[in-house]
Amino acid sequence: MMPEFQADSVTAISPTALYKLGYKVVTKDATYGTRFWRYVLNSEAATTFPLGTVVQRKAATVSSGTGIVCVTAKAPRYKILGVAQSYTLNGTASAFLAAHYGFILCEGVGTILCDGSVTADSTLMAEGTTGRTKNATLTNADEVAASIAIALADDGAANSTTTAYISVP
């Protein structure tokens, strides 16, 4: 059985590891329902994970929790660790800072970064630009394999966010 955490526990980031990388927990609340989170390290040298950023596993790392901003178009689902949400550092609102540890959403309703073309009820895949997503047409096998979310609303413009049901292994 997966450990259940309070929502504030999964939104705090830290410069030191508090759990093993790849550790998964669940949260439940009236607004978002059940959501699953994965503990990761932002291994970018100086890049934060802004709200909604798709995070992929860093190549050539053994850990299932060493992440970088996804810049791979149509990245297969199995390479995606999750999607960054809103965070706090020492009780103050913060992006997920470089060289910090925290939980990212791997399944459930959350916020996702988009390219400006996303429409409600469309399937989303990594777009290849700084952790954004775009509509997947699902006309070929690589787009099916890259599907990571279903948009629950339209996005506003490039680099805006929308609500989506996110699902990565």
Side-chain angles (χ1 to χ4, degrees):
M1 184 168 206
M2 196 172 298
E4 187 172 329
F5 278 35
Q6 297 300 315
D8 59 345
S9 299
V10 296
T11 59
I13 59 172
S14 169
T16 56
L18 303 175
Y19 305 97
K20 289 184 178 187
L21 293 178
Y23 186 65
K24 288 176 96 173
V25 299
V26 64
T27 59
K28 297 177 183 178
D29 65 55
T31 303
Y32 295 107
T34 302
R35 302 197 294 174
F36 298 89
W37 303 81
R38 178 178 285 121
Y39 196 69
V40 300
L41 165 65
N42 176 348
S43 65
E44 294 279 2
T47 304
T48 64
F49 295 161
L51 176 63
T53 299
V54 176
V55 178
Q56 73 180 47
R57 186 184 73 81
K58 184 176 183 178
T61 59
V62 177
S63 169
S64 62
T66 303
I68 58 172
V69 172
C70 182
V71 292
T72 306
K74 300 180 186 178
R77 290 181 75 231
Y78 64 83
K79 289 188 176 183
I80 305 300
L81 295 174
V83 179
Q85 298 299 298
S86 297
Y87 298 95
T88 60
L89 178 61
N90 300 323
T92 303
S94 173
F96 196 132
L97 302 174
H100 278 66
Y101 298 84
F103 288 96
I104 57 175
L105 185 62
C106 55
E107 186 173 349
V109 175
T111 301
I112 199 160
L113 188 60
C114 305
D115 72 344
S117 70
V118 171
T119 54
D121 299 318
S122 60
T123 302
L124 304 179
M125 65 181 179
E127 182 255 352
T129 305
T130 59
R132 296 188 321 195
T133 59
K134 68 177 186 175
N135 287 340
T137 60
L138 304 178
T139 56
N140 53 44
D142 60 339
E143 289 193 6
V144 172
S147 300
I148 61 169
I150 300 293
L152 301 178
D154 297 349
D155 66 354
N159 296 316
S160 65
T161 59
T162 193
T163 304
Y165 185 86
I166 297 159
S167 181
V168 296

